[in-house]
Amino acid sequence: MATDRVGPDQVDLGFHGDRELAAGLTDLAVNVRPGAPPSWLRAAVLAAVDDLAAYPDPAAATAAVARRHGRPASEALVTAGGAEAFTLIARAFRPRHAVVVHPQFTEPEAALRAAGHDVGRVVLGPDFQLDPGRVPADADLVVIGNPTNPTSVLHPARVLAGLTRPGRTLVVDEAFADCVPGEPESLAAARDMPGLIVVRSLTKTWGLAGLRAGYLLAGPADVRALAQPRPPWAVSGPALAAVLACCTPRATAEARAWATAMAAERDRWAAGLARLPGISLTPHPQASFLLLECRLPPAPAPDGVAPHPGFAGPRVRERLRAAGFAVRRGDTFPGLGPDWLRVAVRDRATNDRFTAALAAVLGPSEEVRT
């Protein structure tokens, strides 16, 4: 049984994009929407600060979450971000055969291993499309992201539904679901799939990583089981206020407008990046980030010596840092290697500056090509 956060292949499951950051670097490594939260959200959080002497009561926020997704309050649990939800799942259940579909966010596997569970992996092929038949039939806990971090692939809801079966818990990480206008493939409102747990986060769209605000949706029995391992008052008053504010019709409409604008800029940016020599993008991205693979030719070698391509990704990443950009390395995601990089969608000017910097990095250079 593993008790740490390093996978069996020595992948650092605890590595997150914030470790790429340093003073002076433009941040394309972290998937959180940049900038301060909107004024109405800041006002809601600051108002809750005036009531810090009171123990936090999650009832109103829980009801708002449930109402947003058309469910009773007994099917919602507000959490300290999505990460707490994965820890609760790992502590509340005792799976005989847990499986995580990769590449994806590593926190679910890290939490399962830290709780003493053995974890199997289903690693998707280069198109990162899900074939439900690849998941072992005896897997009684399956975790998958939708849209998936870091691939930006959105799986159809009907395909995910093919993973459900009696005796299995299916955990769908929808931390980036509100990046997709209208959330067409979300299972958050699905009440006819026994064993389904949907994990949501407010971190990404609303820029709340420091507040820790999220929730999960599941059947009443699972919600009760998941609430058992946690301490009292696990979610702070300001975080509860943020959840309540982000579940209003106004917030939902604003999130959809942001997602629509972001998607248009993402697709424009992706088209430009795809024209760069040596760069391959995962097709049809649907979230607020892109996954790139650096495919550069090997360096020239002396006559009679086989060329050694090495890995272009680390060198590209290092040169991008020298040019002022932090990007997310891909090799800490099971199923990816050193030549993969993830970049977050920013505003048009920042994205274009990055494209120009990457084009310069990819120019003729032995440092990159060897």
Side-chain angles (χ1 to χ4, degrees):
M1 284 193 305
T3 58
D4 57 22
R5 299 169 68 81
V6 176
D9 52 3
Q10 301 306 304
V11 170
D12 182 359
L13 299 174
F15 187 97
H16 298 300
D18 56 343
R19 284 168 59 180
E20 304 276 13
L21 305 183
L25 296 181
T26 298
D27 173 19
L28 273 68
V30 177
N31 285 334
V32 176
R33 181 179 173 183
S39 58
W40 55 265
L41 180 51
R42 286 172 56 85
V45 172
L46 290 173
V49 172
D50 292 334
D51 202 24
L52 289 182
Y55 286 98
D57 182 355
T62 302
V65 165
R67 187 165 53 249
R68 180 189 171 192
H69 297 291
R71 307 177 73 134
S74 61
E75 296 181 359
L77 183 68
V78 179
T79 60
E84 191 208 6
F86 298 127
T87 298
L88 295 177
I89 290 166
R91 293 177 178 175
F93 298 133
R94 290 291 176 264
R96 297 180 304 277
H97 188 184
V99 169
V100 178
V101 180
H102 285 291
Q104 80 141 30
F105 184 46
T106 54
E107 200 60 37
E109 180 173 332
L112 287 165
R113 292 188 179 280
H117 305 299
D118 292 324
V119 182
R121 294 174 179 170
V122 171
V123 178
L124 302 181
D127 62 354
F128 306 119
Q129 298 298 313
L130 174 66
D131 174 6
R134 292 197 55 205
V135 177
D138 66 344
D140 55 350
L141 192 152
V142 177
V143 185
I144 187 168
N146 202 41
T148 306
N149 173 19
T151 65
S152 206
V153 167
L154 181 67
H155 302 293
R158 58 176 175 76
V159 174
L160 294 181
L163 291 175
T164 61
R165 61 185 59 207
R168 171 182 289 175
T169 298
L170 173 63
V171 180
V172 181
D173 175 8
E174 292 192 359
F176 294 95
D178 50 4
C179 291
V180 186
E183 303 182 15
E185 307 302 338
S186 173
L187 294 177
R191 304 184 62 209
D192 58 348
M193 297 183 187
L196 173 66
I197 300 174
V198 174
V199 178
R200 303 283 294 236
S201 170
L202 301 180
T203 293
K204 318 306 178 187
T205 297
W206 300 114
L208 296 175
L211 193 62
R212 312 311 307 141
Y215 56 90
L216 62 82
L217 303 155
D222 282 341
V223 167
R224 290 193 297 271
L226 290 164
Q228 287 298 314
R230 66 192 327 204
W233 312 295
V235 182
S236 71
L240 292 171
V243 172
L244 183 60
C246 290
C247 287
T248 63
R250 169 186 178 175
T252 302
E254 187 170 320
R256 183 167 188 166
W258 169 78
T260 300
M262 182 278 299
E265 172 56 22
R266 177 199 62 219
D267 293 346
R268 183 201 70 86
W269 187 36
L273 290 172
R275 290 193 289 269
L276 296 180
I279 294 296
S280 175
L281 272 69
T282 300
H284 310 300
Q286 295 294 302
S288 56
F289 47 88
L290 302 171
L291 183 64
L292 317 178
E293 185 180 14
C294 303
R295 295 179 173 176
L296 299 175
D303 291 342
V305 178
H308 181 16
F311 291 112
R315 292 166 175 78
V316 169
R317 194 172 76 250
E318 290 166 7
R319 290 174 63 85
L320 284 170
R321 289 180 73 85
F325 290 92
V327 299
R328 174 64 160 88
R329 63 189 296 174
D331 57 354
T332 64
F333 293 101
L336 300 183
D339 284 341
W340 294 89
L341 306 173
R342 190 194 69 196
V343 291
V345 179
R346 300 304 189 213
D347 61 272
R348 182 171 186 149
T350 301
N351 296 337
D352 286 347
R353 284 196 302 110
F354 176 80
T355 301
L358 181 58
V361 164
L362 296 172
S365 169
E366 293 306 304
E367 287 186 60
V368 173
R369 295 178 182 273
T370 59

